[in-house]
Amino acid sequence: MKFNIAFIGFGVVGQSFTRILLKKRDFLRKKYDLDYDVVAISDIVKGSVLDERGLNLSSILKLVERGRSIELYEGGRKGLSSLETIQESNANVIVEVTWTNLRTGEPGLTHVRKALELGKHVITTNKGPIAVAYRELKRLADSRYVFLRFEGTVLSGTPALNLGLEALAGSYVKSIRGIVNGTTNYILTEMEKGRSYAEALREAQRLGYAEADPTMDVEGWDAVGKMVILANVLMDGDLKVDDVERIGITGITSFDLERALKEGCRIKLIAKAWREDDAIKAKVSPEKVPLTDFLAYVDGTLNALTFSTNCIGDITIIGRGAGGVEAAHALLSDLIAVNRHLSFMEGRR
């Protein structure tokens, strides 16, 4: 199977995925009979280039690593917008890795929608489009007989969605509960060690765990987006971001953490979704987690999720929920999944 890939967005995740593709090219051919050319890259800051014969990825990465525009690449067509790249390239797989907007889903929503309308497969780590319009996009993908994959939108490279959709297929997911934001978990862990909230946040920013504007993380929005996706995809919900009750960690003090420990608990930012009568509900808020609960021992940037099922009880996964390499691995697993499904379909003809 040969894929022509176009990147929409080329930040940390896109570059990490490019390095993985270069490193694993022979492995992908031998193990999965999967081959590829990256034929286009479009980034609002780094520029755009299209060459239907395939780009030299090593040359592209050298330009980016030197802080130079990819439009200095020798050859190819330059200056196309993201939508023009999707429409005019010969790509049959669009890798959408632009920034996340949980209110509108843009610009990723327009990118994903256009790619699917044109009959192109989409793999993405962008929470915005999936949180805002999952049902619409899934129907659109199905109507065009293409795949929409988004494993990296929840726990990055830790396989939360694949676990629920594939490994737990046939089980009824009654509830989902866990720690899904590494930045806030790191801050709370550091505060337990004696740092103030401000000190812990500054250290998280220094280490690259938190953005210069940490609002998405510390106010709970990132966790809300992930729970909306989990609830809608794995529990057949129809939640919107505003349906989720949300409290961040900015009001938590070192005194709160000390008092919780004296009570045999630790404070964690807990995200959960559950069934209530015929409705799906979700909430993100700091909770006192008893030391008898596994989640109390998930520290630092680690994430964890427990799926409560009707067949095999509780299943818990733990792993890193952020990072360029981790998110890139999610993209790789999605590309391999698309290849597997298409190979199966081709074999049945």
Side-chain angles (χ1 to χ4, degrees):
M1 192 69 63
K2 179 71 173 286
F3 294 110
N4 290 331
I5 299 171
F7 281 82
I8 306 301
F10 203 64
V12 172
V13 175
Q15 293 168 46
S16 296
F17 187 37
T18 299
R19 293 186 183 96
I20 287 177
L21 287 175
L22 278 171
K23 182 179 179 180
K24 291 183 175 286
R25 183 160 209 156
D26 288 342
F27 170 77
L28 293 172
R29 284 172 175 162
K30 291 175 182 176
K31 186 169 181 64
Y32 299 105
D33 195 25
L34 187 164
D35 200 3
Y36 70 88
D37 281 323
V38 173
V39 297
I41 298 171
S42 180
D43 184 276
I44 195 170
V45 173
K46 298 175 180 65
S48 70
V49 60
L50 163 65
D51 188 333
E52 296 190 344
R53 299 168 299 175
L55 298 170
N56 184 316
L57 296 181
S58 296
S59 296
I60 293 287
L61 287 173
K62 285 179 182 177
L63 286 170
V64 173
E65 288 162 1
R66 294 170 183 166
R68 306 180 75 185
S69 170
I70 61 176
E71 296 194 3
L72 295 174
Y73 177 83
E74 293 185 8
R77 185 178 171 191
K78 315 292 172 50
L80 294 178
S81 69
S82 294
L83 278 178
E84 289 170 334
T85 298
I86 293 169
Q87 291 173 308
E88 299 181 28
S89 73
N90 62 330
N92 54 12
V93 174
I94 303 299
V95 176
E96 213 291 339
V97 283
T98 63
W99 62 92
T100 290
N101 183 317
L102 289 176
R103 286 295 176 190
T104 66
E106 299 296 354
L109 179 54
T110 294
H111 297 155
V112 173
R113 187 183 283 134
K114 176 56 68 176
L116 295 176
E117 287 173 349
L118 294 172
K120 302 189 179 197
H121 308 290
V122 174
I123 59 177
T124 183
T125 57
N126 189 341
K127 289 182 289 294
I130 310 304
V132 170
Y134 166 68
R135 288 193 174 190
E136 174 208 337
L137 296 175
K138 181 65 166 63
R139 284 194 297 266
L140 181 56
D142 290 346
S143 72
R144 298 299 194 272
Y145 302 99
V146 293
F147 293 100
L148 170 64
R149 303 282 304 196
F150 45 90
E151 176 60 52
T153 59
V154 175
L155 292 190
S156 197
T158 302
L161 291 168
N162 285 339
L163 174 65
L165 287 172
E166 297 174 9
L168 294 178
S171 290
Y172 182 79
V173 178
K174 298 185 291 184
S175 65
I176 304 170
R177 175 176 174 267
I179 297 167
V180 297
N181 182 271
T183 300
T184 51
N185 205 43
Y186 174 83
I187 290 172
L188 292 173
T189 300
E190 291 300 302
M191 289 176 67
E192 280 189 346
K193 298 176 182 177
R195 291 188 175 185
S196 68
Y197 170 81
E199 290 170 337
L201 173 58
R202 281 197 298 271
E203 183 65 6
Q205 291 170 324
R206 186 186 73 81
L207 293 171
Y209 301 151
E211 301 290 341
D213 178 0
T215 303
M216 280 284 290
D217 293 317
V218 299
E219 294 292 354
W221 289 109
D222 175 73
V224 165
K226 292 171 179 177
M227 287 314 297
V228 167
I229 293 170
L230 284 165
N232 290 347
V233 175
L234 302 185
M235 301 175 69
D236 198 30
D238 192 19
L239 292 178
K240 305 300 181 188
V241 167
D242 287 338
D243 295 331
V244 182
E245 184 180 344
R246 175 190 56 82
I247 302 173
I249 67 164
T250 53
I252 301 297
T253 66
S254 298
F255 175 76
D256 296 326
L257 295 165
E258 290 174 9
R259 184 170 58 185
L261 282 170
K262 289 177 181 178
E263 296 172 359
C265 300
R266 300 181 74 191
I267 294 178
K268 297 290 186 181
L269 185 68
I270 298 296
K272 55 189 177 183
W274 68 96
R275 299 181 187 274
E276 189 172 301
D277 298 324
D278 294 328
I280 304 295
K281 302 291 185 68
K283 181 179 180 180
V284 171
S285 66
E287 291 186 11
K288 291 181 180 179
V289 179
L291 296 179
T292 53
D293 188 323
F294 169 80
L295 292 177
Y297 301 95
V298 178
D299 285 340
T301 58
L302 286 177
N303 287 184
L305 275 174
T306 295
F307 299 85
S308 294
T309 74
N310 68 334
C311 290
I312 53 176
D314 289 354
I315 301 294
T316 299
I317 56 171
I318 181 171
R320 283 180 55 81
V325 172
E326 290 79 5
H329 177 76
L331 293 170
L332 179 65
S333 71
D334 281 342
L335 183 64
I336 291 171
V338 172
N339 180 73
R340 181 172 62 248
H341 291 309
L342 289 176
S343 297
F344 175 75
M345 292 164 61
E346 186 70 24
R348 295 187 64 184
R349 291 180 182 175

